[in-house]
Amino acid sequence: MGRYGSNKYDGTRYCGYYTQEEIKEVVQYAADRYITVIPEIEMPGHATAALFSYPYLGCTKGPYKVMDTWGVLDDVFCAGNDSTFTFLQDVLDEVIQLFPSTYIHIGGDECPKERWKKCPLCQARIKKENLKDEHELQSYFINRIEKYLNSKGRRIIGWDEILEGGLAPNATVMSWRGEEGGIEAAKQNHDVIMTPGSHCYFDHSQSRNEDSVTIGGYLPLEKVYAYEPVPAVLNATQAKHILGAQGNMWTEYQKNPAKVEYMLFPRIMALSEVLWSPRSKRDWADFERRLPVLFSRLDARGTNYSKAYFDLQATVAPAPGSGGVQVNLESKLKNADIRYRYNTSEFNPYTSPVMVGKSVEIGFSTFKNGSPVNINTLKFTFNKATGKKITIVNAPSKSYPGDGAFTLVNGIQNEKGLSKSNEFLGFLGKDLDATIDLGKDMEISAVTVRTLNQNGSWIYLPAQLELTISPDIDTTLITKHAPIETITQLVKNEQNIQTIRLPEPKKGRYIRILAKNFGMIPSGKPGAGNPAWLFVDEIVVE
Ligand code: ACM
Ligand code: ZN
């Protein structure tokens, strides 16, 4: 119930399955429309349903619990027990009879190695097969399954984790944790399907307004259309290995088909055009021109599509001059009557960017017949850093880029966690290294880093914060400013808000904050073995 990590469960059966006859109907329905359905049979991880029914397939042999939530779990298929392969080959025999596709997706993602490390059978397999470690054991697993499917005339697809420990010889790689896995696979002359979380995950929000629970992220229509599936770093031969891309529609937060449609449309139309058109023919402006027709088709079909494209867009930018921010409001509707207000005062017509110089709430909406359609607000909390120049060393992930480094000093403090994930910069396995230029020497008594502690979503507090203050001596070269104060502080509590207080106030112009990433997610935690996310929404200087 609610977001992952709430630890509240309704205990009702999730249920749902297809009979063989039903699957045949699905496959035929798609084939009649020139679409091939490729099944994914997940292994060696994400298989607790199978382990519950067949506990002898796990390393501990159970008993296993029926899960009342989803996620990445330590219990996975035992790779040392030959029965696992007998079982999976039996499953795959059934699968290939139902699905005529050349490709069979065998998963391979998010498989913790905890059980394998302690399992005598898995360890015996490592020894017998001369494998280096558990990653090579996963590679052995996938290789063995590939060999079986190849012998039946089929080819495998696996998520990019199948690169770890060595790729199976004929595998096609589906790159989801960014583009790096796909790039690496193409360089190894393997076929690739791109589906990076930054551009292809349709379970991410498409509106900045909170319209329903999603897994997080912000993926508007325009960002999908801007996706280029062939990475520029590949040469012509390697680029041929990029077969295309996939849009992912995971349904943890989608209880009914109407919501699935809502999340898919219109983004799936943008991705289809990207994938089915040569790069030279892709043109966002032209797509936008054709959008009204696409929408009227969806209307005619009764498709429940998202209208986030028409949201009144508010963007926050530094105000010209020194200090302060400005809010730009923009609507895709022609001749929209846009109005704004400070706190609860009267609405004013919007004619130019709204200047914000102090803590205040800005309300805004388009108006129809003199009434607001949907009032949204931006609450600004000013401090010495708000609206100031900021530079960051490591770029945030393409999935959580916010509005660039300025997001950290735009005066907006996140109060909704992942529901407003576009207010954060997200760093995957990387540190935040930010320098703020206050413009002149100012008295500084404390610096606060507003972050997020949500381990269920792989998001961790920084391990350590380091604050460096430098005075205004040389205005051209930050590195020349000898620090007058450096304070290192371990993160001790579990609060989203971490403050470094100076023993006594110091004068300085440049403030460098180094927030060290937590590092690898420890075993027993969701996402164990993966790098942790560091989320930061604001740096507050007092
Ligand atoms: C994935 O999203 N775990 C492939
Ligand atoms: Zn085992």
Side-chain angles (χ1 to χ4, degrees), residues 40 42 46 72 105 109-110 159-161 174 176-177 195 201 203 248 250 458:
E40 178 188 356
E42 180 79 66
H46 281 305
V72 178
H105 198 315
D109 61 322
E110 301 182 315
W159 298 110
D160 57 56
E161 284 94 331
M174 209 172 244
W176 73 283
R177 298 177 300 174
T195 183
Y201 272 52
D203 52 345
N248 282 327
W250 309 113
W458 307 16

Side-chain angles (χ1 to χ4, degrees), residues 104 250 280 287 380 384 389 412 519 537:
I104 305 290
W250 309 113
S280 60
F287 183 74
F380 292 92
K384 286 174 179 156
K389 266 199 209 109
I412 297 172
D537 80 282

Side-chain angles (χ1 to χ4, degrees), residues 257-521:
K259 172 99 185 254
V260 175
E261 277 188 359
Y262 181 83
M263 300 300 280
L264 283 176
F265 290 96
R267 291 185 291 195
I268 194 172
M269 300 156 108
L271 187 61
S272 303
E273 183 157 312
V274 168
L275 299 179
W276 298 340
S277 321
R279 195 180 311 170
S280 60
K281 289 273 162 103
R282 290 183 230 142
D283 178 357
W284 166 250
D286 187 56
F287 183 74
E288 264 193 310
R289 188 183 60 72
R290 288 177 281 116
L291 260 179
V293 178
L294 295 175
F295 285 145
S296 61
R297 281 193 194 137
L298 294 176
D299 284 330
R301 297 176 61 93
T303 302
N304 183 39
Y305 62 94
S306 165
K307 300 187 176 63
Y309 171 78
F310 295 110
D311 281 354
L312 181 53
Q313 295 287 343
T315 48
V316 183
S322 62
V325 299
Q326 64 179 43
V327 180
N328 306 304
L329 298 173
E330 217 178 328
S331 171
K332 296 287 185 188
L333 298 168
K334 285 206 172 60
N335 306 318
D337 177 3
I338 304 173
R339 304 187 200 180
Y340 74 98
R341 69 181 178 190
Y342 293 103
N343 293 325
T344 52
S345 64
E346 292 293 300
F347 276 97
N348 310 299
Y350 175 83
T351 50
S352 60
V354 182
M355 295 300 157
V356 184
K358 60 178 199 300
S359 297
V360 69
E361 188 172 275
I362 305 291
F364 52 90
S365 179
T366 42
F367 273 62
K368 224 174 181 172
N369 307 322
S371 301
V373 175
N374 179 22
I375 301 173
N376 276 292
T377 56
L378 285 173
K379 187 174 159 194
F380 292 92
T381 308
F382 266 58
N383 64 78
K384 286 174 179 156
T386 309
K388 298 291 160 55
K389 266 199 209 109
I390 180 168
T391 51
I392 53 175
V393 175
N394 300 319
S397 152
K398 282 181 192 168
S399 297
Y400 298 97
D403 290 320
F406 184 68
T407 302
L408 302 180
V409 290
N410 67 2
I412 297 172
Q413 303 188 352
N414 180 291
E415 288 167 352
K416 294 275 180 115
L418 283 185
S419 314
K420 292 264 185 182
S421 57
N422 59 287
E423 290 175 358
F424 289 100
L425 298 190
F427 299 88
L428 183 58
K430 287 192 209 159
D431 305 333
L432 164 75
D433 186 351
T435 299
I436 300 168
D437 177 358
L438 297 178
K440 60 176 194 286
D441 274 345
M442 287 189 182
E443 193 164 273
I444 297 152
S445 56
V447 176
T448 297
V449 177
R450 295 180 53 94
T451 170
L452 187 67
N453 190 22
Q454 194 164 319
N455 299 169
S457 305
W458 307 16
I459 302 167
Y460 280 72
L461 292 176
Q464 176 185 302
L465 292 174
E466 187 182 293
L467 165 68
T468 308
I469 297 172
S470 312
D472 185 6
I473 301 166
D474 179 335
T475 53
T476 53
L477 281 172
I478 292 175
T479 48
K480 278 197 183 163
H481 295 254
I484 51 163
E485 184 81 46
T486 301
I487 297 180
T488 304
Q489 181 168 304
L490 291 174
V491 171
K492 294 185 286 277
N493 61 35
E494 300 284 296
Q495 308 297 316
N496 289 339
I497 295 162
Q498 298 284 333
T499 300
I500 300 183
R501 249 168 234 298
L502 277 69
E504 56 190 63
K506 282 270 154 63
K507 280 209 160 189
R509 171 172 172 177
Y510 299 97
I511 293 172
R512 178 178 176 220
I513 276 284
L514 180 61
K516 280 255 172 234
N517 190 290
F518 181 85
M520 285 295 172
I521 299 174

Side-chain angles (χ1 to χ4, degrees), residues 57-61 76-81 84 115-123 137:
L57 299 175
C59 291
T60 66
K61 313 259 187 278
V76 302
F77 283 122
C78 178
N81 185 349
T84 297
R115 296 289 181 263
W116 292 358
K117 283 181 192 158
K118 298 195 182 99
C119 169
L121 286 179
C122 286
Q123 290 306 314
L137 182 57

Side-chain angles (χ1 to χ4, degrees), residues 54-75:
Y54 308 95
Y56 69 96
L57 299 175
C59 291
T60 66
K61 313 259 187 278
Y64 297 103
K65 211 171 117 278
V66 174
M67 292 303 299
D68 44 19
T69 184
W70 46 274
V72 178
L73 299 152
D74 282 347
D75 284 308

